[in-house]
Short mmCIF file of all heavy atoms in Angstrom, two decimals:
data_model
loop_
_atom_site.label_atom_id
_atom_site.label_comp_id
_atom_site.label_asym_id
_atom_site.label_seq_id
_atom_site.Cartn_x
_atom_site.Cartn_y
_atom_site.Cartn_z
N TYR A 259 12.65 19.39 3.61
CA TYR A 259 11.30 19.37 3.96
C TYR A 259 10.76 17.96 4.10
O TYR A 259 11.44 17.04 3.66
CB TYR A 259 10.45 20.19 2.93
CG TYR A 259 10.36 19.58 1.53
CD1 TYR A 259 9.53 18.46 1.30
CD2 TYR A 259 11.07 20.11 0.49
CE1 TYR A 259 9.45 17.95 0.00
CE2 TYR A 259 11.02 19.58 -0.78
CZ TYR A 259 10.11 18.57 -1.02
OH TYR A 259 10.07 17.96 -2.27
N SER A 260 9.63 17.87 4.67
CA SER A 260 9.05 16.55 4.96
C SER A 260 7.56 16.68 4.58
O SER A 260 6.87 17.41 5.17
CB SER A 260 9.26 16.31 6.45
OG SER A 260 8.40 15.18 6.82
N LEU A 261 7.18 15.86 3.58
CA LEU A 261 5.81 15.96 3.09
C LEU A 261 5.08 14.60 3.04
O LEU A 261 5.57 13.71 2.32
CB LEU A 261 5.79 16.59 1.73
CG LEU A 261 4.48 16.60 0.94
CD1 LEU A 261 3.31 17.20 1.78
CD2 LEU A 261 4.61 17.38 -0.33
N GLN A 262 4.06 14.45 3.86
CA GLN A 262 3.28 13.15 3.78
C GLN A 262 1.90 13.46 3.44
O GLN A 262 1.27 14.26 4.06
CB GLN A 262 3.42 12.47 5.16
CG GLN A 262 4.59 11.59 5.39
CD GLN A 262 5.90 12.40 5.49
OE1 GLN A 262 6.69 12.26 4.64
NE2 GLN A 262 5.99 13.19 6.52
N ILE A 263 1.43 12.75 2.50
CA ILE A 263 -0.02 12.79 2.16
C ILE A 263 -0.65 11.46 2.61
O ILE A 263 -0.21 10.42 2.09
CB ILE A 263 -0.20 12.95 0.62
CG1 ILE A 263 0.47 14.27 0.11
CG2 ILE A 263 -1.66 12.98 0.26
CD1 ILE A 263 0.29 14.51 -1.39
N PHE A 264 -1.66 11.59 3.49
CA PHE A 264 -2.30 10.43 3.95
C PHE A 264 -3.66 10.32 3.25
O PHE A 264 -4.35 11.34 3.08
CB PHE A 264 -2.62 10.58 5.44
CG PHE A 264 -1.30 10.62 6.29
CD1 PHE A 264 -0.79 11.82 6.61
CD2 PHE A 264 -0.69 9.43 6.67
CE1 PHE A 264 0.37 11.90 7.38
CE2 PHE A 264 0.54 9.55 7.45
CZ PHE A 264 1.05 10.74 7.75
N GLY A 265 -4.04 9.13 2.82
CA GLY A 265 -5.26 8.95 2.17
C GLY A 265 -5.53 7.52 1.90
O GLY A 265 -5.18 6.60 2.69
N PHE A 266 -6.24 7.17 0.84
CA PHE A 266 -6.55 5.77 0.57
C PHE A 266 -6.16 5.46 -0.81
O PHE A 266 -6.47 6.18 -1.82
CB PHE A 266 -8.08 5.56 0.71
CG PHE A 266 -8.55 5.95 2.13
CD1 PHE A 266 -9.09 7.19 2.38
CD2 PHE A 266 -8.32 5.05 3.15
CE1 PHE A 266 -9.53 7.51 3.73
CE2 PHE A 266 -8.69 5.41 4.49
CZ PHE A 266 -9.24 6.63 4.74
N CYS A 267 -5.38 4.36 -1.02
CA CYS A 267 -4.93 4.02 -2.27
C CYS A 267 -5.94 3.41 -3.12
O CYS A 267 -7.11 3.16 -2.67
CB CYS A 267 -3.73 3.00 -2.17
SG CYS A 267 -4.29 1.35 -1.72
N ASP A 268 -5.62 3.42 -4.40
CA ASP A 268 -6.58 2.96 -5.42
C ASP A 268 -7.37 1.63 -4.97
O ASP A 268 -8.61 1.60 -4.94
CB ASP A 268 -5.80 2.62 -6.71
CG ASP A 268 -6.66 2.54 -7.89
OD1 ASP A 268 -7.82 3.08 -7.85
OD2 ASP A 268 -6.35 1.83 -8.91
N LYS A 269 -6.62 0.61 -4.56
CA LYS A 269 -7.18 -0.65 -4.24
C LYS A 269 -8.12 -0.49 -3.02
O LYS A 269 -9.27 -1.05 -3.04
CB LYS A 269 -6.01 -1.58 -3.99
CG LYS A 269 -6.54 -3.03 -3.86
CD LYS A 269 -5.36 -4.05 -3.70
CE LYS A 269 -4.49 -4.17 -4.95
NZ LYS A 269 -3.35 -5.09 -4.65
N CYS A 270 -7.60 0.19 -1.99
CA CYS A 270 -8.41 0.23 -0.71
C CYS A 270 -9.59 1.12 -0.88
O CYS A 270 -10.59 0.94 -0.19
CB CYS A 270 -7.51 0.75 0.39
SG CYS A 270 -6.30 -0.43 0.88
N SER A 271 -9.61 2.12 -1.72
CA SER A 271 -10.76 3.05 -1.83
C SER A 271 -11.83 2.37 -2.51
O SER A 271 -12.93 2.98 -2.72
CB SER A 271 -10.34 4.36 -2.34
OG SER A 271 -9.59 4.29 -3.60
N ARG A 272 -11.64 1.19 -3.10
CA ARG A 272 -12.72 0.54 -3.83
C ARG A 272 -13.70 -0.11 -2.93
O ARG A 272 -14.82 -0.41 -3.23
CB ARG A 272 -12.09 -0.59 -4.71
CG ARG A 272 -11.38 0.05 -5.96
CD ARG A 272 -11.42 -0.97 -7.12
NE ARG A 272 -10.37 -0.45 -8.08
CZ ARG A 272 -9.27 -1.19 -8.34
NH1 ARG A 272 -9.01 -2.31 -7.70
NH2 ARG A 272 -8.39 -0.62 -9.14
N TYR A 273 -13.20 -0.39 -1.64
CA TYR A 273 -14.12 -1.02 -0.68
C TYR A 273 -14.70 0.11 0.20
O TYR A 273 -14.08 1.08 0.50
CB TYR A 273 -13.36 -1.97 0.17
CG TYR A 273 -12.61 -2.99 -0.60
CD1 TYR A 273 -11.30 -2.86 -0.92
CD2 TYR A 273 -13.34 -4.11 -1.11
CE1 TYR A 273 -10.61 -3.83 -1.71
CE2 TYR A 273 -12.70 -5.03 -1.93
CZ TYR A 273 -11.36 -4.92 -2.18
OH TYR A 273 -10.70 -5.83 -2.95
N THR A 274 -15.92 -0.07 0.61
CA THR A 274 -16.57 0.94 1.44
C THR A 274 -16.22 0.75 2.88
O THR A 274 -16.04 1.76 3.62
CB THR A 274 -18.14 0.92 1.31
OG1 THR A 274 -18.48 -0.47 1.15
CG2 THR A 274 -18.63 1.72 0.12
N ILE A 275 -15.94 -0.44 3.28
CA ILE A 275 -15.59 -0.64 4.67
C ILE A 275 -14.20 -0.43 4.87
O ILE A 275 -13.33 -1.12 4.34
CB ILE A 275 -15.99 -2.14 5.15
CG1 ILE A 275 -17.51 -2.38 4.91
CG2 ILE A 275 -15.54 -2.37 6.53
CD1 ILE A 275 -17.85 -3.82 4.88
N LYS A 276 -13.81 0.53 5.58
CA LYS A 276 -12.43 0.86 5.89
C LYS A 276 -12.06 0.28 7.22
O LYS A 276 -12.66 0.51 8.28
CB LYS A 276 -12.20 2.36 5.92
CG LYS A 276 -12.64 3.13 4.74
CD LYS A 276 -11.61 2.99 3.63
CE LYS A 276 -11.79 4.03 2.51
NZ LYS A 276 -13.19 4.04 1.95
#
Side-chain angles (χ1 to χ4, degrees):
Chain A
Y259 67 77
S260 164
L261 170 56
Q262 273 69 248
I263 300 181
F264 298 92
F266 303 98
C267 75
D268 196 25
K269 193 175 288 178
C270 291
S271 54
R272 288 206 197 112
Y273 305 97
T274 35
I275 301 158
K276 304 281 195 306

